[in-house]
Each structure stands twice: as structure tokens, then as C-alpha cells.
Amino acid sequence: MADFLLKALLGGIGVAIIAGPLGSFVVWRRMAYFGDTLAHSALLGVALGILFDLNLNLAVVMCCVLLALLLVSLQRKRIIATDTLLGIMAHSSLSLGLVAISFLPDVRIDLMSYLFGDLLAISKEDLFWIYGGGMLVLTLLAILWNPLLAFTVNEDLARVEGIPINLVRLALMLLVGIVIAVAMKIVGVLLITSLLIIPAAAARRLSKTPEQMAFFASLIGCISVCLGLWGSYQWDTPAGPSVVVSAALLFVFSHSLPSR
Amino acid sequence: MTNSAFIQLQNVNLHFGNRHVIQNVSFDIESNQITTLIGPNGSGKSTLVRILLGLQLPDSGTIGKPDRLRIGYMPQKLHIEPTLPLTVERFMKLAARATSAEILGALKEVNVEHLLKNPMQKLSGGETQRVMLARALLRQPQLLVLDEPVQGVDITGQIELYELIAQIRDRHQCAVFMVSHDLHMVMASTDKVICLNHHICCSGHPEIVSNDPSFIALFGRDGASNLALYSHHHNHQHDAHGQVIMDHPCVESTESPPESQQQLSAPSKQQQGDRHHG
């Protein structure tokens, strides 16, 4: 197998594994649009990272977490309905990112690869980021699994039972931020949310417990990556979108199975 | 005011914007007693529960609780996303580190052990309430807080559930604080009633409260209909927001107003005892 294909496969599988459990939380907590908004702001993170000469992955994580904090505080003030607020933030931060990039002199950025991903151009360094970030995310998730789940079922109950819900909420945002930074290389900012929610939604039909759903979501994500890469190689289609199309097909297929 | 009540609320006030939702509320919860909070819709019952639980900070006032109080809480409603696969067993395990035997024991206590492997979303209203009660018991609570525990349960089920709560109090020796909007249903299984309409209108033994003019004024012709037909004089009135527009001697003064006694003509029950002053 070609070296670039192997790296793409390893990178895609790494992202799919962490996206499974985290995507399940995005589905359970109805955070799909929230995730989209954070993903859109990632491009602004890239621009700021170049401007201040920071590591781009780190800049994206920081940008996502800052935006998440801003979103939560604006949501509490109830200035405007949450979905409108998310819509405003998503598209303004994406546009701000595009405008900021155009101001950067002497920098040539392949915009398409940030918007739609460039799975076939994954480097060794990217793989280190994916697997390092992935280990961190999975470890944090394992530690926080029960509090996160209790907080997802009912926030008031969780608080009465002594779970520090603000801390848990912050941790979840941080985790989503890391996954977005890492997954940006694979499917790009416009398609990241699909990698979080489609495998999780497909896994719902196969699962009886939250843990099963997280596991099946990872598995379905991995299958999507393999199918997408194979299709991309076979028919010379763009790799990121091919992965998403495969995931969508698996979702449709999961609905033809009897529900458990 | 020094007493040794298990939990004491003193002069608790809360505003939401311009609305004075909780007005100078003070009461005690005694250990091993069932205290019922009763009041019309929008009278601040659930808000008061949230203050007691520490979910909402009051603007002023104090809440005296023992250190490291173990609370078992049963919220008014439990909505679980259909996308979250959750069996009753897994739901119970979220509350405390419990063994399978302990979980089964708690479910047996509320007669729903057969539901162990069922998904939470497929339970009926009454089953959900019982499972939530079992989950609260799993924490071996010193205080059980139940917000409208019989919501969505039919009449026979309601009576059973109230009996069950009384049994649980006897067995676990815990204090119970519950919210209800139907005094007559809870009368048999409660030790103390607090009648709330932003302020405490009256409180005390359920028999006494049910005959209190301010209670009748609050629940009025339609609300307290299953009491009997009372013809009575309001000793104070509430406006649309529950604010008292006239004076209300039941809170302010110690002697009962003379007119309330002659106007109250309950068929069988004589007005008895003095009213408790919030």
C-alpha cells in the first residue's frame, strides 16, 4: 500500500475512534449545531495561529474553547434565542477567519484543504497530534464518563448528587475543541460535525447502553474511513467528503436493521 | 429564634426581575417527619424546592442544614433523550456506586424490580416516578425531596404512591419534604403542611390548614372543591401575580379575624386550633 494511503488510513481511524464516544455526547446533548459553530471558528484559529506564529493545532483548540466560553456566557444572558445566536457566531467566525487569512501577507494557504480536509496529505507530525490528542481525550473521557453521563441525563439531579457540573461542562467543551482541531485535517471545518454525529446516530439502533453506543459509533466511524478512502482511491473522489458519504450510507443502512 | 430543627429556612427572599417570588419564608423541617408544601400553580413551590436543594441561591435569608447532608431528590419531570440508550439499571448506577443487589433491593422496595432491564424511555409516568424514588433511596438519604411525586399518575396510583412514601419514611427514618397541589390526597400521610403563595399563608397540621381561611381563600371555590361547599370571606386577596393586595391577618397578626369564623360553615368540620404563623 502506498505510504500516503497508509498514513491517511491511520489518521482517519484515529480520529474516528475518538469521535465515536464524543459524538455520542454531542447527539445525546443535542449539541450538533454547537459543534458546527465551534468547527467554523477553527479557521479563525488557523489565521490567528499564523499571525502569532503559534502551533496551529494549539491555536485551533484555544480558539474553539474561547468561543465555547463566549457562547455559554451569551446564552446565559438570554439576549437572543440560542439557535439564532449559534447561527450568528458560526458564520461570523467563519467569515472573520476568511477575512483574516486574506490579510496575511506572504502566506499562501490552501483554503480548500482547511474547509474540506486533505486526508491524503497527512504528515507524520499530524499523526502524532491525532494519536497524542486522542489518548488525552480518551483518558479524560474515561475519568469523566459517569459524571458526564449523569449530567446529560438530568443536570439538577447531578448537581444535587454533588457533581461539579460547571467543571464537567467545561471539560466537555475542551474535549470537543480538541477533537475539532485534530479532525480538521481529515474532513475540514465544514464537515467535522458530520464525523461526530453520523456514526453516533447510526450506532443508536444497535445499542442498549451508552457504552455500547460509544463503541459502535467508533466502529462505524472506522468503517466509514476505510470505505471512503477506498472509494476515493477507486474513483478519484475527494477523500474527506467520501468518508462522510460512506458514514451517511451506513446510517441509512443501520435504519434498515431491526432496532434493539 | 433558636431551635434544633433538622433543617431551618429563615427569612428567605428571592426576586426574579421585579417579581418577588419568595417573600420572607421561614420554616423548619423536622427529621423523620413528612412535610408537604402546597400551593397553587406559579406560587413559587418549585423555586422554594430549588432553594432548599441549593440549586438556586436566595437574595437573602439563611438555610441551616447539617454538614454533608445526603439528599435524595426526585425532580418533577424526567426527560431523557430518545437518542440515549439507558436501561433502568444503568440509570440507577448513575446515582451512587451500588452493587446489583442494592439496585434490585431499592427497586423491590418500590415494587418495580421487573423493570430492571427496560429502557427508561419506555416507562409509564407512574413507573418513572417509582424508579426515580428507588434511585433517590439508593443514596441512603437523610432528606428525601420530592417535587410533585404523583404527577402523571392516576388516582389509585396516587394513593399507593403516598402510602409508599409514608412507608419509606418509617423504614429509612428520613425526613421527607414534598410538593403537592392536592392537600386532601396527602393529608393522611403528612405530618405538617406549609401553604405557600409566594409568602407562607398558613402552616401546621393538615387538618388545621385545610380549615384555615387563608388556605380556602387561596384554593377558592374551584381549587378546594372537593372539600365541601364553603361560603367564606377572604381575609386577604391576591392579584394576578399572587401578590397580596389587602392585608392578611393570617400572617401578620396572632388572633384570628372574627369574621372568618362566622363565615366558615363547613358541614362537618369545625374550625379547630389556632393557625400557625409562617
Side-chain angles (χ1 to χ4, degrees):
Chain A
M1 197 190 290
D3 182 50
F4 73 93
L5 213 53
L6 183 68
K7 278 191 195 136
L9 203 59
L10 282 176
I13 285 174
V15 170
I17 289 171
I18 43 173
L22 212 59
S24 300
F25 274 107
V26 171
V27 168
W28 297 333
R29 298 189 53 79
R30 299 191 173 215
M31 287 165 67
Y33 207 6
F34 178 84
D36 230 12
T37 306
L38 292 194
H40 283 34
S41 76
L43 200 63
L44 184 60
V46 171
L48 293 177
I50 294 171
L51 194 65
F52 295 110
D53 199 22
L54 294 170
N55 178 294
L56 292 190
N57 287 305
L58 212 58
V60 169
V61 173
M62 272 162 51
C63 194
C64 286
V65 171
L66 283 178
L67 188 81
L69 291 177
L70 183 67
L71 268 173
V72 169
S73 66
L74 284 176
Q75 219 178 326
R76 286 224 178 109
K77 285 186 182 142
R78 304 219 171 111
I79 300 169
I80 200 161
T82 301
D83 61 330
T84 311
L85 180 68
L86 287 171
I88 294 172
M89 299 287 269
H91 299 108
S92 345
S93 60
L94 179 65
S95 304
L96 200 59
L98 290 168
V99 169
I101 283 178
S102 77
F103 272 116
L104 295 176
D106 319 319
V107 184
R108 283 176 49 189
I109 291 179
D110 180 8
L111 208 51
M112 285 301 274
S113 77
Y114 282 109
L115 291 177
F116 297 104
D118 197 357
L119 190 47
L120 300 179
I122 279 187
S123 67
K124 223 177 210 162
E125 200 211 328
D126 292 328
L127 283 181
F128 280 128
W129 267 95
I130 290 170
Y131 281 87
M135 294 286 254
L136 180 69
V137 168
L138 289 183
T139 312
L140 280 173
L141 262 181
I143 295 169
L144 292 171
W145 188 261
N146 251 328
L148 267 170
L149 211 52
F151 154 76
T152 299
V153 168
N154 188 301
E155 288 191 16
D156 283 348
L157 256 178
R159 263 176 85 183
V160 171
E161 289 168 3
I163 290 169
I165 65 161
N166 285 329
L167 205 69
V168 173
R169 197 195 310 270
L170 189 69
L172 187 60
M173 281 173 191
L174 184 71
L175 293 178
V176 174
I178 296 175
V179 170
I180 286 172
V182 170
M184 195 171 61
K185 275 279 157 64
I186 313 295
V187 286
V189 295
L190 295 181
L191 295 176
I192 286 172
T193 326
S194 61
L195 212 57
L196 286 169
I197 62 172
I198 299 176
R204 172 62 182 101
R205 303 272 293 187
L206 314 173
S207 324
K208 286 190 103 165
T209 64
E211 293 74 20
Q212 277 179 8
M213 181 158 152
F215 173 78
F216 282 127
S218 292
L219 190 67
I220 291 171
C222 290
I223 299 173
S224 310
V225 167
C226 296
L227 278 178
L229 272 177
W230 172 78
S232 165
Y233 189 70
Q234 195 78 7
W235 295 296
D236 197 23
T237 50
S242 303
V243 170
V244 177
V245 169
S246 309
L249 288 174
L250 287 175
F251 170 76
V252 173
F253 179 66
S254 80
H255 273 252
S256 67
L257 296 173
S259 164
R260 281 181 69 181
Chain B
M1 240 215 261
T2 49
N3 58 27
S4 55
F6 184 48
I7 289 162
Q8 310 166 33
L9 268 75
Q10 272 179 29
N11 303 323
V12 171
N13 280 286
L14 180 69
H15 293 80
F16 284 143
N18 293 325
R19 284 166 48 229
H20 198 171
V21 186
I22 300 293
Q23 304 166 358
N24 224 22
V25 166
S26 305
F27 63 85
D28 295 342
I29 298 174
E30 306 290 341
S31 52
N32 206 17
Q33 281 209 343
I34 298 183
T35 308
T36 300
L37 182 67
I38 188 161
N41 287 335
S43 58
K45 297 188 300 276
S46 289
T47 309
L48 195 56
V49 167
R50 292 180 65 81
I51 291 174
L52 176 68
L53 290 170
L55 296 174
Q56 168 81 50
L57 280 179
D59 296 338
S60 64
T62 55
I63 297 126
K65 294 190 236 192
D67 282 344
R68 309 186 66 79
L69 175 70
R70 281 194 312 277
I71 300 179
Y73 170 48
M74 177 170 154
Q76 203 176 100
K77 271 186 203 141
L78 183 74
H79 171 78
I80 296 179
E81 283 294 320
T83 50
L84 177 60
L86 196 68
T87 59
V88 169
E89 186 178 23
R90 190 71 186 82
F91 175 71
M92 297 282 286
K93 274 188 184 153
L94 289 174
R97 246 176 235 151
T99 63
S100 299
E102 284 167 335
I103 288 174
L104 205 61
L107 288 171
K108 264 190 185 138
E109 203 171 338
V110 297
N111 302 320
V112 287
E113 68 271 23
H114 57 286
L115 298 175
L116 188 69
K117 301 283 179 192
N118 284 40
M120 286 297 292
Q121 291 93 342
K122 295 258 167 78
L123 305 184
S124 73
E127 287 169 344
T128 308
Q129 302 295 78
R130 280 169 190 257
V131 168
M132 285 203 286
L133 194 55
R135 178 174 149 156
L137 289 178
L138 210 53
R139 295 175 47 80
Q140 296 171 319
Q142 298 157 295
L143 170 67
L144 206 51
V145 179
L146 315 170
D147 194 350
E148 304 253 5
V150 298
Q151 204 172 52
V153 180
D154 62 25
I155 297 283
T156 18
Q158 289 188 14
I159 297 167
E160 279 173 26
L161 210 51
Y162 282 127
E163 275 167 5
L164 184 64
I165 291 167
Q167 285 168 22
I168 283 169
R169 185 268 314 265
D170 295 339
R171 218 174 293 146
H172 292 257
Q173 302 283 301
C174 56
V176 177
F177 184 78
M178 64 177 166
V179 173
S180 173
H181 53 242
D182 186 352
L183 176 59
H184 302 282
M185 212 57 159
V186 293
M187 224 144 130
S189 56
T190 192
D191 301 302
K192 182 182 173 186
V193 170
I194 297 165
C195 178
L196 183 80
N197 192 17
H198 303 292
H199 62 280
I200 292 183
C201 287
C202 47
S203 70
H205 191 273
E207 286 284 341
I208 297 169
V209 168
S210 67
N211 286 319
D212 192 294
S214 63
F215 173 77
I216 297 159
L218 194 56
F219 281 87
R221 287 127 289 189
D222 37 352
S225 55
N226 45 3
L227 262 171
L229 281 170
Y230 285 101
S231 66
H232 69 279
H233 220 69
H234 292 246
N235 63 359
H236 67 278
Q237 288 177 344
H238 297 274
D239 65 13
H241 308 290
Q243 300 285 344
V244 174
I245 17 191
M246 285 170 67
D247 59 332
H248 46 111
C250 76
V251 180
E252 246 74 292
S253 78
T254 353
E255 65 272 8
S256 23
E259 74 266 29
S260 66
Q261 257 145 3
Q262 46 182 15
Q263 296 294 335
L264 254 171
S265 51
S268 56
K269 290 171 195 159
Q270 273 288 89
Q271 192 188 11
Q272 41 178 290
D274 57 323
R275 271 169 272 123
H276 181 91
H277 306 281

